[in-house]
């Protein structure tokens, strides 16, 4: 399932869907996923469930004014009547995932986990909040306006602790710098960066002697552009570092935003797969280094 917490955006399938949400219209990024769940009588696959439950979480965060939507504000352009319909369909689809007679893979997978009860309780909490919104018991909160920072290739930033959805994300005593080696123009907000080899308990005053791993990480630029991961310098991206943007994306080998070819068996062994991390996954993967 590729998950790292009970939260619905913290798995690989949900990350792929969220990238689609930011990139495409709701006709492509919302309704097909809901309709697939609502119309099926067959066993529900985990990949389909992950997208709908991610939407359940995103709707909660949007109504609560989470700042990730300050730039895209995907839902703000939807008429209120249609927005309420999307919520109703999401609630129906989520309920079906949790209680489908033919079975649901994501439920079965979580039932094998010690965290099943916590995960199930979290889904009910998300659903109850949307039900309260539809009843007029809670109102949407508008996120505060903040100055956006333009992220550039070569930017060196420090991964500070951040608060995400009420949870503290931290690298503890092993904090790192990152170097942006690629800013995508095709996939909105996506960057590739290299983590520093050195770790720090707090941000040092000097970055002299700082070295970076030849290990690309794929994520969004949100924490940098909102100042949560402060930029401390800019350094030219070397040719060797640029070559590290070679990766496998959906069966294709890509260099930066350019398609090189269909992946060969040798490519599958020689190049990393682009696993685009949300904020929780970004900290998880840095903590595994």
């Amino acid at each position: 399932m590729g998950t790292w917490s009970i939260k619905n955006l913290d798995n690989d399938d949900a990350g792929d869907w969220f990238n689609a949400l930011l990139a495409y219209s709701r006709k492509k990024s919302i309704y097909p996923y809901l309709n697939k769940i609502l119309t099926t009588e067959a066993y529900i696959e985990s990949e389909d469930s992950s997208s709908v439950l991610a939407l359940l979480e995103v709707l909660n965060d949007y109504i609560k004014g989470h700042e990730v939507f300050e730039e895209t504000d995907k839902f703000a352009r939807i008429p209120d009547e249609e927005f309420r319909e999307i919520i109703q369909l999401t609630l129906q689809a989520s309920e079906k995932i949790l209680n489908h007679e033919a079975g649901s893979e994501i439920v079965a997978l979580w039932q094998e986990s010690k965290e099943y009860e916590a995960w199930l309780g979290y889904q009910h909490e998300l659903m109850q909040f949307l039900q309260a919104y539809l009843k007029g018991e809670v109102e949407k909160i508008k996120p505060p306006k903040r100055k956006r920072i333009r992220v550039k290739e070569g930017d060196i930033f420090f991964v500070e602790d951040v608060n995400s959805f009420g949870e503290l994300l931290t690298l503890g005593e092993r904090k790192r710098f990152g170097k942006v080696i690629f800013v995508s123009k095709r996939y909105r907000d996506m960057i590739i960066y290299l983590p520093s080899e050195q770790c720090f308990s707090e941000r040092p005053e000097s970055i002299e002697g700082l070295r970076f791993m030849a290990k690309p990480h794929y994520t969004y630029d949100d924490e940098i552009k909102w100042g949560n991961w402060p930029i401390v310098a800019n350094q030219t991206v070397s040719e060797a570092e640029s070559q590290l943007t070679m990766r496998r994306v959906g069966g294709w080998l890509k260099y930066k935003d350019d398609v090189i070819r269909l992946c060969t068996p040798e490519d599958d062994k020689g190049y990393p797969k682009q696993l685009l991390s949300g904020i929780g996954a970004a900290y998880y993967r840095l903590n595994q280094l």
Side-chain angles (χ1 to χ4, degrees):
M1 185 163 52
T3 187
W4 39 89
S5 88
I6 65 170
K7 295 192 173 183
N8 297 344
L9 284 169
D10 286 350
N11 67 75
D12 292 327
D13 290 332
D16 291 341
W17 169 81
F18 187 72
N19 192 40
L21 174 69
L22 298 180
Y24 303 117
S25 71
R26 58 188 180 276
K27 290 183 179 180
K28 290 185 177 180
S29 63
I30 295 178
Y31 289 114
Y33 298 90
L34 291 172
N35 291 336
K36 188 170 185 178
I37 296 293
L38 292 171
T39 58
T40 187
E41 297 299 330
Y43 186 74
I44 301 175
E45 301 293 336
S46 176
E47 181 178 354
D48 300 325
S49 300
S50 293
S51 301
V52 168
L53 295 180
L55 175 58
L56 176 70
E57 186 172 85
V58 163
L59 287 167
N60 271 256
D61 295 333
Y62 173 72
I63 293 169
K64 293 174 182 177
H66 191 269
E67 65 191 20
V68 71
F69 292 102
E70 184 174 355
E71 180 182 14
T72 61
D73 216 3
K74 175 74 70 170
F75 299 118
R77 298 188 291 274
I78 301 177
D80 184 65
E81 183 177 346
E82 184 183 355
F83 181 61
R84 294 176 68 84
E85 179 186 31
I86 289 173
I87 292 176
Q88 291 168 343
L89 292 174
T90 303
L91 287 170
Q92 292 170 20
S94 300
E95 181 68 29
K96 186 172 183 178
I97 289 167
L98 298 181
N99 300 292
H100 189 39
E101 289 185 3
S104 171
E105 184 182 16
I106 199 168
V107 173
L109 290 169
W110 276 106
Q111 285 174 335
E112 298 173 359
S113 166
K114 294 179 181 179
E115 294 187 282
Y116 170 65
E117 294 298 332
W119 174 81
L120 185 62
Y122 180 62
Q123 308 314 314
H124 289 153
E125 178 184 323
L126 295 175
M127 294 168 69
Q128 289 166 3
F129 180 83
L130 293 186
Q131 289 164 350
Y133 176 80
L134 291 176
K135 294 176 183 177
E137 295 173 1
V138 295
E139 295 182 356
K140 181 188 177 304
I141 300 172
K142 187 174 182 179
K145 290 289 183 182
R146 295 198 295 169
K147 183 178 180 181
R148 187 183 309 135
I149 299 166
R150 181 170 174 264
V151 181
K152 304 181 296 297
E153 292 176 4
D155 282 345
I156 296 174
F157 59 90
F158 190 68
V159 182
E160 298 276 16
D161 298 348
V162 300
N163 189 291
S164 176
F165 309 108
E167 176 184 358
L168 180 65
L169 301 177
T170 181
L171 300 180
E173 297 296 305
R174 294 177 53 80
K175 295 180 173 64
R176 297 178 189 266
F177 287 91
K179 179 179 179 179
V180 179
I181 61 169
F182 173 58
V183 178
S184 177
K185 294 181 174 63
R186 178 175 177 82
Y187 301 101
R188 189 171 184 178
D189 302 329
M190 178 206 153
I191 61 169
I192 301 177
Y193 74 93
L194 305 178
S196 63
E197 293 181 1
Q198 302 99 314
C199 298
F200 307 87
S201 60
E202 58 184 26
R203 185 171 69 182
E205 293 184 4
S206 170
I207 61 169
E208 185 177 356
L210 191 65
R211 302 180 304 277
F212 295 94
M213 297 179 174
K215 185 178 179 63
H217 284 222
Y218 316 98
T219 191
Y220 303 100
D221 65 4
D222 295 297
E223 302 308 317
I224 305 174
K225 72 184 177 189
W226 297 123
N228 296 329
W229 292 356
I231 296 171
V232 299
N234 186 278
Q235 184 184 86
T236 301
V237 177
S238 69
E239 179 58 30
E241 290 172 332
S242 291
Q243 288 299 316
L244 293 174
T245 68
M246 292 278 283
R247 65 209 186 277
R248 293 178 290 125
V249 184
W252 298 92
L253 183 66
K254 302 192 77 172
Y255 171 74
K256 298 188 176 182
D257 276 335
D258 298 326
V259 173
I260 304 301
R261 59 175 176 265
L262 277 169
C263 286
T264 65
E266 291 74 21
D267 293 334
D268 292 339
K269 297 176 183 177
Y271 294 103
K273 181 180 180 181
Q274 176 181 293
L275 296 175
L276 194 55
S277 301
I279 182 63
Y283 277 85
Y284 174 82
R285 289 184 170 132
L286 286 170
N287 274 313
Q288 301 308 302
L289 295 176

